[in-house]
Amino acid sequence: MSGHKIITIGRQFGSGGREIGQKLAERLGIPLYDRRLVSMAAEALGVREEDAERVDETSLNSFVANYTVSPGMYMEYINAASYIQSFDETVFRKEAEIIRSLAEKGPCIIVGRCADYILKDRAECINVFICADKEDRKKRIGRLYNLTERKAAERIRRTDRERRYYYELHTGQDWGEIGSHQILFNVSLLGADKIVDYLELMYKS
């Protein structure tokens, strides 16, 4: 099948980007790939899914920040960091391979995983980034994960930082900036349903 359209969705944590993708996929009758890509990559590589999840859209910086270096353990730290970096690259390459294969097979929606960059040479790729005001994101994350406002804000900062690092490490582009994405949608200004409407019109045009 040729000439079919692919929609890639980048998103701030708590913006509702994944849910927008799900609603759009249901409306268009096409598959959505998000966390399924992790299990697909893990199966292809012959590794445990939970191991692949540890480096999926997360950063080496997060690993380093949580690694306690005791006296005399510096080389162990260096070796561990090198292994994580190598494993991250292996998982990323496998996910990229799977994303290209899925894009060749037919229309679909892909959330995150640098899919916009991986498919940048496809003419029929609609590349969007979903954002929202911080207060709205804190309320949403607090409700979804039963967190206090402070804990929700901390989780948003950490997850956004990791997604930014992961995206910029693998693409060399600025995460969430108009120079890196075709379209930016603010859920707080437009509402999720209106964004789904716009994306449906773009897909069908």
Side-chain angles (χ1 to χ4, degrees):
M1 182 175 183
S2 61
H4 54 265
K5 292 182 180 177
I6 308 294
I7 298 175
T8 67
I9 300 178
R11 73 282 185 232
Q12 290 180 321
F13 185 60
S15 64
R18 183 177 185 276
E19 288 71 17
I20 287 172
Q22 287 178 317
K23 289 181 179 180
L24 183 63
E26 292 171 3
R27 190 178 295 185
L28 297 175
I30 61 177
L32 176 139
Y33 298 98
D34 183 13
R35 295 188 64 81
R36 289 167 60 189
L37 289 166
V38 182
S39 58
M40 293 168 75
E43 182 178 357
L45 291 169
V47 301
R48 297 186 306 170
E49 185 173 341
E50 53 264 39
D51 290 335
E53 284 179 345
R54 291 192 183 101
V55 295
D56 177 60
E57 287 198 311
T58 59
S59 70
L60 179 62
N61 279 355
S62 176
F63 164 80
V64 171
N66 291 291
Y67 196 97
T68 302
V69 184
S70 302
M73 294 181 63
Y74 181 72
M75 286 309 300
E76 179 180 331
Y77 164 79
I78 293 297
N79 291 337
S82 297
Y83 170 78
I84 292 295
Q85 189 171 29
S86 174
F87 185 59
D88 165 80
E89 186 62 28
T90 298
V91 173
F92 174 77
R93 288 180 180 178
K94 181 54 65 175
E95 286 188 349
E97 180 184 317
I98 292 170
I99 286 170
R100 293 189 189 98
S101 176
L102 293 171
E104 285 297 320
K105 290 179 180 178
C108 61
I109 298 169
I110 303 174
V111 179
R113 281 80 194 172
C114 304
D116 59 303
Y117 178 79
I118 292 165
L119 301 177
K120 65 182 184 299
D121 295 327
R122 290 189 65 94
E124 295 296 312
C125 183
I126 302 169
N127 158 22
V128 304
F129 188 89
I130 307 296
C131 61
D133 295 348
K134 188 167 289 185
E135 288 303 313
D136 289 340
R137 293 199 287 150
K138 285 193 294 186
K139 290 177 183 176
R140 189 168 187 278
I141 292 303
R143 184 177 67 253
L144 287 174
Y145 297 99
N146 194 28
L147 298 175
T148 64
E149 183 175 338
R150 184 176 67 83
K151 290 292 186 182
E154 290 174 357
R155 187 158 181 175
I156 287 169
R157 282 195 297 271
R158 183 179 68 251
T159 305
D160 276 357
R161 182 175 65 247
E162 291 182 346
R163 287 181 179 175
R164 176 183 295 277
Y165 182 92
Y166 182 89
Y167 182 87
E168 295 182 355
L169 173 68
H170 290 295
T171 70
Q173 299 180 164
D174 295 327
W175 181 76
E177 300 295 332
I178 194 61
S180 305
H181 307 279
Q182 293 172 348
I183 307 162
L184 270 61
F185 285 118
N186 189 323
V187 179
S188 299
L189 297 178
L190 295 170
D193 290 338
K194 183 65 69 175
I195 293 172
V196 173
D197 290 341
Y198 286 148
L199 288 173
E200 180 183 16
L201 285 172
M202 293 172 64
Y203 179 87
K204 293 181 176 178
S205 65

